[in-house]
Structures are given as structure tokens and as C-alpha cells.
Amino acid sequence: MQRGLVEEIAAEAEAALLQAEQQLIEAEEVHEFGALNTLLCMIVLALSFLLAYLIKKHRIIYLPESAAIILLGILVGLLASLFHPSKAELELLTFQPEVFYFGLLPPIIFNAGYTCRRKHFFQNIVAITLYESSSSAK
């Protein structure tokens, strides 16, 4: 009877150990996924800065910085989808409208307004007011 109890306890301990090992492996995979995607984001950010610097340095007027960075994003997206895409990676790289509207668009609008010349602003005051009032009415 004691031998059966000891074997049952050993089996439960072994099952718990296997479950703990499985959880550890899953945690390591999640950590590795996060680390690789953070590295990818930092590389893309550094390439964006480098691209903007090179465009300004060489005075390439036919390619705006924003267009070059969009092309860089398209290239990175294509490369990421070609090389071992997992479902989680593709979800991370998909366009999320909330991120764009709440995270990226306000600084773009602020920069456009901040760098706008006063003369151009007052020449377009009617259009600006119409856009503002129509968006505020919603």
C-alpha cells in the first residue's frame, strides 16, 4: 500500500516537472520572439535615420524622406513575409489603424502645422476651418 502511494506521488511529481519544463520552454520562445522583433524594430529605425541622413546629405530632391521610409517599410515587410513567417510575426507586421491614428498621425499633423509658414496658413484658413469643424462635429 505504501509502495503504491510512493509511486503515485512520484508520478505526480514527474508530471508536474514535465509541465514546468514545458512552461519554461514556452516562456523562452515568447522571450526570443519579443527580443527578435525588438531587434528588427531597432534596425528599421536605424535604417530610417540613415536613409533620411543620406537623402539630406546628397540633396536628393526627387525622393522625399517619408517616401523613402515607406519604401523601406515595404521592403522589410516583404523580406519578413518571405523568411519563415509565423502567424504571430505576420500579426505583428500587419497594419493596425489604431496605432496609425493615435500614435503616428498626431505628430505628423503637429509637425505640418508647426513648420507651416504663416502666409500659407492664412491663405488656406477657410479650408483648414472647414476640415476642423467637420471633424469636430463627429
Side-chain angles (χ1 to χ4, degrees):
M1 191 182 303
Q2 279 187 338
R3 182 173 258 172
L5 184 61
V6 170
E7 289 175 358
E8 185 179 322
I9 292 173
E12 288 177 7
E14 187 177 340
L17 183 62
L18 289 173
Q19 184 180 10
E21 287 178 3
Q22 183 65 25
Q23 290 175 349
L24 183 62
I25 290 170
E26 290 174 6
E28 287 176 357
E29 288 174 357
V30 168
H31 177 73
E32 182 179 346
F33 175 75
L36 287 175
N37 284 316
T38 302
L39 178 65
L40 176 65
C41 289
M42 292 297 110
I43 289 172
V44 170
L45 185 63
L47 286 174
S48 297
F49 286 138
L50 178 66
L51 198 55
Y53 171 75
L54 291 174
I55 287 173
K56 282 185 177 182
K57 181 181 177 187
H58 296 293
R59 297 182 183 164
I60 303 172
I61 59 172
Y62 54 88
L63 181 65
E65 295 171 25
S66 56
I69 293 172
I70 288 171
L71 291 174
L72 175 67
I74 291 171
L75 178 70
V76 168
L78 286 173
L79 290 174
S81 65
L82 290 176
F83 296 109
H84 307 290
S86 69
K87 186 177 179 181
E89 289 172 347
L90 291 179
E91 285 179 9
L92 181 73
L93 294 174
T94 56
F95 178 75
Q96 298 170 349
E98 295 85 15
V99 172
F100 176 74
Y101 288 122
F102 296 120
L104 299 176
L105 192 58
I108 293 170
I109 293 172
F110 177 76
N111 185 34
Y114 188 74
T115 59
C116 182
R117 295 181 187 251
R118 191 174 286 181
K119 178 183 173 185
H120 294 136
F121 177 79
F122 286 110
Q123 283 177 346
N124 297 308
I125 192 71
V126 174
I128 292 169
T129 306
L130 286 174
Y131 281 128
E132 182 275 327
S133 60
S134 67
S135 66
S136 296
K138 292 181 181 178

